[in-house]
Amino acid sequence: MASDRLFGLVVLFTALAYIASATQIQTSFLADPVGPKAFPMLIGGVAAISALVLILRPDPDPDWPDLRTFGALLIAGVVLVGYAYALKPLGFVVPTAIAAGILSYQISPRPRPAILSGLGLSVGLFVLFKYALGLGLVPFPKGLWG
């Protein structure tokens, strides 16, 4: 029970900090009626409510995952941080294929389906984000195409 309450306090303080940082977002004069602050504040609010549930109604006998699961979570976290840093210099397609492939391999450790999943997700998400949603994604490094 104590672990749930401690985790709930950490999540609550993080959510409050997230909401406070969302209030600092500058709005332009061409902003939509809702504004750019609404979504981050909504996420922070949901996280704060979830934290309060953990604090007020903790699990009496929580089951902790084994050490292997924590290792897999650590690898996934490192992959996602590396992915965030690789997007700008390498474009969208290559880092997304690598990250999606590694994460897919963690879910089901079969190399061929993991590679195909990474490639398919990378190209499919690029087409969706670039052409269906109109986002300004760069597919590959800028120096590659001249």
Side-chain angles (χ1 to χ4, degrees), residues 38 44 92 127 133 145:
F92 182 82
V127 169
L133 298 176
W145 297 111

Side-chain angles (χ1 to χ4, degrees), residues 10 25 36 46 49 54 72-73 93 98-99 112 114 119 124:
V10 170
I25 295 174
V46 170
I49 291 169
L54 275 174
L73 289 171
V93 175
I98 293 169
R112 185 177 175 149
L119 291 172

Side-chain angles (χ1 to χ4, degrees), residues 54-127:
L54 275 174
I55 293 168
L56 298 175
R57 297 190 56 173
D59 187 0
D61 188 25
D63 293 329
W64 285 87
D66 59 356
L67 195 57
R68 183 174 181 200
T69 303
F70 281 117
L73 289 171
L74 179 66
I75 290 170
V78 168
V79 166
L80 291 174
V81 169
Y83 173 69
Y85 280 107
L87 274 175
K88 190 166 185 171
L90 298 178
F92 182 82
V93 175
V94 174
T96 303
I98 293 169
I102 292 170
L103 295 175
S104 177
Y105 184 80
Q106 278 193 312
I107 293 169
S108 176
R110 297 185 334 225
R112 185 177 175 149
I115 291 169
L116 293 175
S117 295
L119 291 172
L121 276 169
S122 177
V123 172
L125 289 174
F126 178 77
V127 169

Side-chain angles (χ1 to χ4, degrees), residues 3-18 47-48 51-52 54-55:
S3 62
D4 281 357
R5 287 195 169 126
L6 287 173
F7 183 69
L9 282 173
V10 170
V11 171
L12 181 63
F13 287 129
T14 304
L16 293 175
Y18 191 75
L52 289 173
L54 275 174
I55 293 168

Side-chain angles (χ1 to χ4, degrees), residues 27-52:
T27 58
S28 70
F29 66 95
L30 294 175
D32 59 84
V34 176
K37 297 178 184 183
F39 185 71
M41 292 179 86
L42 179 69
I43 296 296
V46 170
I49 291 169
S50 300
L52 289 173

